[in-house]
C-alpha cells in the first residue's frame, strides 16, 4: 500500500529542506526523501564546515518566512558589510560598502551544514511532513494524475507533484530525461577553512591573478582569532598539485596568491577539490515534476550566487503551488508548473551568461585585456549608480 501525499520532495539539503518546510506551513502534506541519516554532524568553531553560503537579504527573508532563521546559533552567523575585489595583475579594485547603500549588511555567511541541520530538525517536527531518511529513489512513474515513486526499501510513495532538489547530479533530472546544456569551465574549486593573521574586517574578498580566482568568505572570530572559508578556482593541474601539498606549503602558496593582503597561519578543515561545470536544464518542469536549485542549474562560484538563485527558485515555486492548492487546483499539472519556469528561467540564464562573461574576462592573463579590465574596474568603482544596481541584483535580490 503506497503512502499518498500532495508533494514529494527529493533531497533534504538546503533547497529541499526549505521547500518542504514552506509547503508544510501552507498545509500541504509532504514526503521528504533523502539518502542521508537525517542527522547532520556539526563541527565546533573554529573548525567550521567546509561549505559556506553567502546568503543575500532576499534569502535571509525566505529563511525568516520558513521560521528557521531565528533558530540558527548566532555564533555561527556572520553578517558582512563590505566586499572588495582586486586584480592581482594590476592595481585596480572595486569596493562595495553596505553603508553606501543604506543597509546594515550586504549579506550573511552561514555554513551549509548549520542551515541543513536546522531545516531537518524543523521538518521532523511537522505533523504533515513524513521523512524518509536513508532512502533513495530507485524509479518513478509520472502518470496523468500522480507520480508513483519507488524507494530503495521497496516502499512506494504517491504524490500529485514531485520536486527534485537532489543537487547537480540529480537522479530525477536524469531519469525524467530533462535535456541540459552544459560545459566544463576547465577549472576546479579548492575549498577549505583557514586561519589568517588579522581581521577580515567583516569583508568578502575576491582576487583575480596569475594564481587563479580566489574568494575569501569571512567567518565568525573565535577567541580573537580570525577565520575565512576559501573558494580557489584554478586549473585541474594546479588543483591536483595544491591538494598534494602539506599544510605548511599550502598556506605559503595561498599567502602568495593573496598578494600580501593576509598571511595564512593554518588550515582547519579537509581540503576539497570540486570540478566546475556550467549546467542548465532546457526545461525546469515536466508533467508532475519540477526541478529547483542545482538540479535545474549550476553556475561558476565567482559571485557566490548559486544558493541565492536556488532559494529564489524555491520561493516562486512554493508560492505558485501553495496558491493552486488553496483554490483546489491540480498542483502537478504542466500548465501550472510552467508559470514557475517562465518566472525563473530567464533570470537564471542571464545570471549564468553574466558569470560566463565575468569568468572569461577575469581568468585571462592577456596583457591587453588586463589593462582594459583595470581601466573598467576603476570606472565602475567610481560609478555609484552601477554599483547600486549590482548590489540590488546580487546581494538583495535573485
Amino acid at each position: 500500500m503506497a503512502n499518498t501525499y500532495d508533494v514529494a520532495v527529493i533531497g533534504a539539503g538546503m533547497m529541499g529542506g526549505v521547500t518542504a518546510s514552506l509547503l508544510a506551513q501552507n498545509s500541504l502534506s509532504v514526503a521528504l526523501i533523502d539518502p542521508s541519516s537525517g542527522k547532520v554532524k556539526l563541527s565546533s568553531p573554529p573548525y567550521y564546515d567546509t561549505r559556506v553560503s553567502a546568503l543575500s537579504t532576499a534569502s535571509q527573508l525566505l529563511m525568516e518566512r520558513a521560521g528557521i532563521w531565528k533558530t540558527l546559533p548566532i555564533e555561527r552567523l556572520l553578517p558582512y558589510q563590505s566586499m572588495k575585489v582586486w586584480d592581482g595583475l594590476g592595481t585596480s579594485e572595486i569596493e562595495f560598502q553596505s553603508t553606501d547603500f543604506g543597509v546594515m549588511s550586504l549579506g550573511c555567511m552561514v555554513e551549509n551544514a548549520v542551515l541543513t541541520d536546522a531545516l531537518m530538525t524543523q521538518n521532523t517536527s511537522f505533523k504533515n511532513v513524513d521523512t524518509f531518511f536513508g532512502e533513495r529513489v530507485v524509479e518513478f512513474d509520472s502518470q496523468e494524475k500522480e507520480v508513483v515513486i519507488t524507494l530503495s526499501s521497496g516502499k512506494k510513495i504517491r504524490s500529485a507533484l514531485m520536486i527534485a532538489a537532489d543537487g547537480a547530479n540529480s537522479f530525477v533530472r536524469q531519469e525524467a530525461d530533462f535535456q541540459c546544456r552544459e560545459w566544463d569551465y576547465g577549472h576546479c574549486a579548492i575549498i577549505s577553512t583557514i586561519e589568517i593573521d588579522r581581521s577580515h574586517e567583516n569583508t568578502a574578498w575576491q582576487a583575480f591573478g596569475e594564481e587563479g580566482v580566489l574568494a575569501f568568505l569571512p567567518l565568525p572570530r573565535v577567541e580573537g582569532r580570525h577565520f575565512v572559508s576559501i573558494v580557489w578556482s584554478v586549473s585541474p593541474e594546479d588543483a591536483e598539485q595544491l591538494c598534494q601539498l602539506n599544510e605548511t606549503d599550502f598556506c605559503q602558496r595561498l599567502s602568495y596568491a593573496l598578494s600580501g593582503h593576509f598571511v595564512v597561519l593554518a588550515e582547519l578543515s579537509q581540503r576539497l577539490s570540486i570540478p566546475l561545470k556550467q549546467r542548465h536544464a532546457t526545461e525546469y518542469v515536466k508533467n508532475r515534476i519540477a526541478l529547483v536549485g542545482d538540479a535545474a542549474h549550476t553556475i561558476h562560484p565567482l559571485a557566490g550566487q548559486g544558493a541565492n538563485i536556488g532559494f529564489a527558485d524555491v520561493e516562486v515555486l512554493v508560492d505558485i503551488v501553495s496558491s493552486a492548492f488553496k483554490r483546489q487546483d491540480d498542483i502537478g499539472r504542466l500548465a501550472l508548473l510552467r508559470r514557475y519556469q517562465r518566472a525563473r528561467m530567464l533570470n537564471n540564464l542571464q545570471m549564468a551568461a553574466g558569470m560566463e562573461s565575468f569568468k572569461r574576462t577575469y581568468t585571462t592573463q592577456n596583457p591587453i585585456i588586463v589593462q582594459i579590465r583595470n581601466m573598467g574596474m576603476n570606472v565602475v568603482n567610481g560609478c555609484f549608480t552601477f554599483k547600486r544596481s549590482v548590489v540590488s541584483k546580487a546581494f538583495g535580490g535573485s
Side-chain angles (χ1 to χ4, degrees):
M1 186 69 179
N3 296 316
T4 302
Y5 301 88
D6 296 315
V7 182
V9 178
I10 316 303
M14 296 191 300
M15 299 303 148
V18 76
T19 301
S21 173
L22 290 167
L23 289 171
Q25 291 175 62
N26 281 307
S27 302
L28 286 85
S29 60
V30 180
L32 182 59
I33 303 163
D34 194 272
S36 73
S37 66
K39 298 182 184 299
V40 178
K41 186 178 180 180
L42 293 178
S43 59
S44 298
Y47 298 96
Y48 294 102
D49 182 51
T50 307
R51 292 176 179 265
V52 174
S53 292
L55 297 192
S56 67
T57 300
S59 294
Q60 292 174 60
L61 290 173
L62 187 67
M63 297 307 116
E64 289 179 5
R65 177 178 158 189
I68 67 139
W69 192 251
K70 64 180 180 294
T71 72
L72 301 178
I74 193 168
E75 68 274 10
R76 306 294 286 254
L77 304 176
L78 186 83
Y80 63 101
Q81 286 76 43
S82 176
M83 181 174 181
K84 294 182 180 180
V85 182
W86 78 88
D87 192 334
L89 296 176
T91 58
S92 299
E93 66 176 34
I94 303 174
E95 182 172 0
F96 301 90
Q97 290 278 359
S98 61
T99 52
D100 292 340
F101 308 101
V103 294
M104 295 293 291
S105 67
L106 296 178
C108 186
M109 300 297 174
V110 58
E111 300 154 82
N112 292 9
V114 170
L115 197 52
T116 300
D117 179 61
L119 287 164
M120 283 187 171
T121 299
Q122 185 189 58
N123 280 314
T124 56
S125 71
F126 290 129
K127 292 182 179 179
N128 54 332
V129 175
D130 285 346
T131 55
F132 295 85
F133 292 131
E135 294 273 22
R136 295 181 181 275
V137 175
V138 294
E139 63 179 13
F140 54 86
D141 181 15
S142 177
Q143 302 175 357
E144 182 181 354
K145 294 187 177 181
E146 65 180 2
V147 182
V148 181
I149 304 164
T150 304
L151 305 183
S152 51
S153 65
K155 293 178 182 176
K156 290 189 180 294
I157 303 293
R158 295 179 184 272
S159 65
L161 171 64
M162 177 169 63
I163 297 176
D166 52 343
N169 297 315
S170 170
F171 173 81
V172 173
R173 185 190 66 234
Q174 295 173 36
E175 290 298 305
D177 200 27
F178 281 85
Q179 299 302 303
C180 290
R181 296 189 183 95
E182 60 181 273
W183 61 90
D184 196 319
Y185 278 121
H187 282 77
C188 292
I190 302 295
I191 303 174
S192 186
T193 302
I194 62 167
E195 181 177 359
I196 52 178
D197 63 322
R198 66 178 182 86
S199 172
H200 47 55
E201 301 170 10
N202 288 2
T203 297
W205 302 74
Q206 196 153 49
F208 304 89
E210 60 183 8
E211 293 293 315
V213 181
L214 181 57
F216 254 38
L217 308 180
L219 295 170
R221 299 167 185 80
V222 178
E223 297 177 350
R225 297 162 64 192
H226 310 287
F227 306 95
V228 296
S229 175
I230 66 160
V231 182
W232 193 356
S233 178
V234 295
S235 70
E237 296 76 20
D238 284 345
E240 183 177 0
Q241 181 188 43
L242 288 168
C243 285
Q244 291 174 351
L245 295 177
N246 60 38
E247 180 183 344
T248 300
D249 291 343
F250 178 75
C251 291
Q252 289 179 347
R253 178 78 175 270
L254 186 53
S255 295
Y256 174 76
L258 288 165
S259 306
H261 284 76
F262 298 96
V263 174
V264 180
L265 303 178
E267 185 178 25
L268 289 89
S269 72
Q270 179 185 5
R271 198 180 310 158
L272 302 180
S273 176
I274 302 173
L276 297 178
K277 290 185 177 183
Q278 170 117 298
R279 180 186 293 112
H280 207 114
T282 58
E283 298 176 291
Y284 291 177
V285 298
K286 289 192 174 186
N287 185 52
R288 305 206 173 276
I289 302 173
L291 310 178
V292 295
D294 284 356
H297 45 73
T298 57
I299 63 171
H300 199 287
L302 271 175
Q305 290 299 299
N308 294 320
I309 295 171
F311 287 133
D313 290 349
V314 170
E315 183 171 23
V316 170
L317 181 59
V318 165
D319 286 348
I320 289 171
V321 170
S322 298
S323 294
F325 179 78
K326 289 175 182 176
R327 63 176 183 267
Q328 298 184 327
D329 196 352
D330 180 355
I331 63 172
R333 64 185 178 91
L334 187 55
L336 177 77
L337 298 177
R338 280 179 173 155
R339 296 180 191 174
Y340 155 65
Q341 178 172 291
R342 287 194 298 271
R344 291 300 304 152
M345 182 170 280
L346 179 58
N347 184 290
N348 293 342
L349 284 170
Q350 289 173 340
M351 179 65 77
M355 286 303 96
E356 177 64 16
S357 298
F358 204 57
K359 177 255 180 187
R360 290 178 182 272
T361 300
Y362 281 93
T363 55
T364 183
Q365 296 184 27
N366 182 301
I368 296 175
I369 296 178
V370 170
Q371 184 177 7
I372 292 172
R373 79 185 182 209
N374 267 261
M375 292 171 61
M377 288 176 73
N378 285 330
V379 171
V380 168
N381 197 44
C383 181
F384 177 80
T385 302
F386 182 83
K387 288 166 72 173
R388 182 172 56 189
S389 175
V390 171
V391 168
S392 175
K393 185 71 174 176
F395 302 116
S398 58

